[in-house]
Amino acid sequence: MTSSTDRPPRLHFANPVRWLLPVVLVLFFLAVLIWLPWQARQMESSERQEQLIADTLWVEQTIRFQLGRHEEAMRSLSGEIAAGHLSPKQLHARLVQLLQTGHEIRRVMWVLPDGAMAATSDAAGAPSAQAGLGPHSLAAADHARRARKPIYSQPEILPGSSKPGLDYHYPIYSGERYLGTLVAHYALATVLDELVPWWFAQDNQITLLDRDDKVLARRSAAGAGHGVYTHKRGLDLPGTTVTLLTDSVKSEPRLLPNLLVGSVIVLSLALLWSLLALWGHISRRLAAEGALRQQMTFRTAMENSLVTGLRARDLEGRVTYVNPAFCQIVGYPPEELIGKLPPMPYWAPEVMSEYQHRFAEVLAGNVTPQFETIFQRSTGERVPVLIFEAPLVDNKGQQTGWMGSILDISDRKRIEELNRQQEQKLQTSARLATMGELASMLAHELNQPLAAISSYTTGALNVMQRAEDAGQPLDCGLLRPALQQAGAQAQRAGQIIRSVHQFVKKRAPERREVAVQSLLEGIGALIELQARQSYVSLQTDIPAALPPVLADRVMIEQVLLNLTRNGIEAMAQVPPERRVLRVRASHDAAAAQVTVEVIDQGHGIPDDVAERLFAPFFSTKAEGMGMGLSICRTAIEFHGGTLIHKANPAGGTIFVFTLPAAGAH
Ligand code: ADP
């Protein structure tokens, strides 16, 4: 891996905004956790407080109810006293009866207006001269008398008692006559002891207070109150102010909040710890992901830049991976290859058995590490490929399949083919060069004997002429024209040899204005001779108005000779009536050239022959040299024309060459 991948990847999550929401949520969660115990405590407190208020009210009602019953009894007794039909004994009995209705009443007595006691509930029976009322009680008696209403005195400590109490005065009127007051003395401590239910006293300290909040009586069954839950309630007694104060022995709720707060702290710490751990984990994970992504990009770039095709297969031979280069080689997209089992779409039908065999070997676990084969592109085109196979091993060292790298060797093959052709051309050139040298040598060697033939024929003709001139002509019949022909042909042979010699020496052609007709006439005798031997009739079609061509006469004559000879030879096997060789010329004024066609009705040229027709040394004939057409094409192209061939619609072949018309330049 390159050094760039060793760098620690940048942590993207460092962006604070991304973490804002979770942090806010966690803080909110913590706030709720802390608020919950406080709220629970509050709720419990207010519940307790409400309970206390309700209970206090209930206690007050109980006290009021009991006092009310006593008040009622007092009212009826005072009515009876006022009526005056109670004997002292009966009166005493009624007073005692009143005393027994509630332990909170210590004493009931009838006090006359002058302060003397008329009757009392005391066991002694005999009322004392003075009632012994305290100052507050006396004031209350006076008040009751004046108001003609029953009234409670302010609480006070009565003489002879250490605990505070209060008196209930009921004024007795018989008509308008004031008969004194009926007094019930309540011991306040007993009021609490008797009238407050035990279950309430168990949970609360109950206190009676006077108007200066001085404690009158107190009951604390289960210890002193904590002052946390307290409630004050006036007893609503006419003439006095006594307040009931309840104080719960329960302290503030402790255990639950402590538990809750403790668990909140533990939970918060655990939450923070896990958050930090998560943070660390995520950062490690992101770092790993970043590194992985970088490696992936690197790998993808590497794969995409590869020119070698890669193909992975599992142990069953199913394609599991192909790279872009492979897809390009076979011309199929990856989705058409991945997951495929053989036969693969790129297997060429003609090599199918080879693939099958090799695949069977792969399944058996024997793989040829390197081999050449042919794949078929989606277009049907064949691609020569070189394949390297190697086992694919996973991180545990187990083989999971095969990995193949595939090289497209079309270029290599093409270069090999080119090299081969080049080689062949080189050989041909070498042979041509040798031919050239040979031709040159032959020309040189043949020049002498040809010159000799020429001079001998001229000499023989001269001898004949001289004998004739001397009046003694020699009787040699057709000898003279034969000698003349021999001489002409020897000269022609000399010319040919010279032109070949010059051609081989690559001199510039000697272009002159020549009429096509005269060209044909120059070699007409030779063509006729060949045609006659092969029973071929020769037809020429040269328009009279045909312009002359600009050409090297000897070369073009050779071309014409070659083409006509080929045409005659091609017709050797056809029925004699079809053996017609035509030479036709025409003028293409626009192109300023003359076209000459040599038309035969022979066996024609098959495609495979046509391909190599103009190649040097190519011949289908047992005796052929295969140089004719090659030289002809060179000669015509030398003149700036073209030589082609085409099939004759009537059967056979037409060779067509063009030459520049004279006067075009
Ligand atoms: P050669 O005549 O010595 O074989 P050429 O170069 O003249 O060499 O011709 C090459 C080959 O072309 C011949 O062997 C023959 O097969 C074919 N060929 C040439 N002309 C014709 C033609 N008119 N009709 C059919 N085949 C021809």
Side-chain angles (χ1 to χ4, degrees), residues 328-367:
Q328 209 170 0
I329 292 173
V330 296
Y332 286 97
E335 47 282 7
E336 279 187 39
L337 300 172
I338 290 173
K340 271 261 160 67
L341 270 171
M344 303 306 294
Y346 50 81
W347 282 11
E350 65 272 18
V351 230
M352 200 58 93
S353 59
E354 183 195 317
Y355 295 139
Q356 300 279 20
H357 171 71
R358 201 171 285 122
F359 182 63
E361 288 285 293
V362 167
L363 286 189
N366 314 320
V367 58

Side-chain angles (χ1 to χ4, degrees), residues 299 303 306 308-315 317-323 326 362 367-371 386-393 399-406:
R299 214 189 84 165
E303 276 176 15
L306 268 186
T308 309
L310 292 178
R311 171 199 60 185
R313 290 185 292 178
D314 62 12
L315 288 172
R318 188 177 286 107
V319 174
T320 52
Y321 165 79
V322 286
N323 75 338
F326 182 81
V362 167
V367 58
T368 330
Q370 179 185 343
F371 58 93
L386 179 62
I387 301 183
F388 300 88
E389 293 269 22
L392 194 62
V393 176
Q399 187 185 348
T400 55
W402 304 96
M403 175 57 101
S405 29
I406 293 96

Side-chain angles (χ1 to χ4, degrees), residues 566 570 600 603-605 613 618-621 624-626 628-629 653 655:
N566 276 347
D600 68 63
H603 51 65
I605 301 174
L613 203 63
F618 171 75
S619 172
T620 56
K621 298 167 197 163
M625 263 246 314
L629 286 178
T653 318
F655 275 88

Side-chain angles (χ1 to χ4, degrees), residues 259-566:
L259 255 179
L260 278 175
V261 169
S263 47
V264 162
I265 290 170
V266 170
L267 276 178
S268 310
L269 288 176
L271 189 73
L272 279 176
W273 176 81
S274 59
L275 209 68
L276 283 174
L278 191 71
W279 189 304
H281 175 75
I282 289 178
S283 57
R284 276 196 303 279
R285 208 192 149 109
L286 281 177
E289 262 178 28
L292 200 71
R293 211 173 298 123
Q294 215 156 5
Q295 284 205 6
M296 276 296 289
T297 350
F298 178 76
R299 214 189 84 165
T300 317
M302 200 169 73
E303 276 176 15
N304 292 347
S305 67
L306 268 186
V307 286
T308 309
L310 292 178
R311 171 199 60 185
R313 290 185 292 178
D314 62 12
L315 288 172
E316 287 165 23
R318 188 177 286 107
V319 174
T320 52
Y321 165 79
V322 286
N323 75 338
F326 182 81
C327 297
Q328 209 170 0
I329 292 173
V330 296
Y332 286 97
E335 47 282 7
E336 279 187 39
L337 300 172
I338 290 173
K340 271 261 160 67
L341 270 171
M344 303 306 294
Y346 50 81
W347 282 11
E350 65 272 18
V351 230
M352 200 58 93
S353 59
E354 183 195 317
Y355 295 139
Q356 300 279 20
H357 171 71
R358 201 171 285 122
F359 182 63
E361 288 285 293
V362 167
L363 286 189
N366 314 320
V367 58
T368 330
Q370 179 185 343
F371 58 93
E372 268 186 34
T373 187
I374 289 175
F375 279 169
Q376 178 182 304
R377 282 224 169 96
S378 52
T379 53
E381 195 186 332
R382 303 295 194 266
V383 200
V385 285
L386 179 62
I387 301 183
F388 300 88
E389 293 269 22
L392 194 62
V393 176
D394 69 5
N395 52 0
K396 292 181 201 121
Q398 291 240 316
Q399 187 185 348
T400 55
W402 304 96
M403 175 57 101
S405 29
I406 293 96
L407 278 178
D408 179 351
I409 50 171
S410 329
D411 286 345
R412 204 177 84 184
K413 289 267 163 191
R414 209 171 297 130
I415 288 167
E416 277 174 12
E417 175 62 20
L418 266 175
N419 276 345
R420 200 184 57 74
Q421 283 178 5
Q422 209 70 29
E423 188 82 5
Q424 214 170 18
K425 270 190 189 154
L426 264 175
Q427 282 178 12
T428 312
S429 304
R431 281 158 69 193
L432 274 176
T434 319
M435 277 280 292
E437 276 171 26
L438 264 175
S440 211
M441 219 164 70
L442 270 176
H444 185 72
E445 295 298 324
L446 286 178
N447 234 1
Q448 302 294 330
L450 278 174
I453 292 171
S454 194
S455 27
Y456 281 125
T457 47
T458 318
L461 283 171
N462 283 348
V463 169
M464 282 180 177
Q465 189 63 44
R466 265 202 304 273
E468 212 170 279
D469 292 347
Q472 297 168 335
L474 296 174
D475 182 18
C476 39
L478 288 170
L479 192 60
R480 180 190 287 266
L483 277 175
Q484 281 171 344
Q485 273 292 325
Q489 288 308 320
Q491 270 181 10
R492 196 182 134 66
Q495 263 179 0
I496 291 172
I497 283 167
R498 263 196 304 283
S499 83
V500 167
H501 184 66
Q502 281 167 345
F503 177 66
V504 170
K505 277 179 21 192
K506 294 245 184 290
R507 50 116 200 164
E510 260 182 46
R511 292 188 205 177
R512 299 222 171 88
E513 284 194 10
V514 209
V516 177
Q517 182 67 42
S518 82
L519 281 173
L520 267 177
E521 279 163 6
I523 50 166
L526 278 177
I527 301 174
E528 281 289 347
L529 192 69
Q530 271 191 344
R532 260 201 310 277
Q533 280 171 358
S534 303
Y535 307 102
V536 171
S537 71
L538 184 70
Q539 294 177 2
T540 52
D541 176 8
I542 316 288
L546 194 74
V549 292
L550 204 60
D552 184 312
R553 169 182 274 278
V554 179
M555 279 173 113
I556 303 305
E557 277 177 356
Q558 283 309 111
V559 170
L560 271 171
L561 259 180
N562 219 317
L563 295 182
T564 48
R565 195 190 58 228
N566 276 347

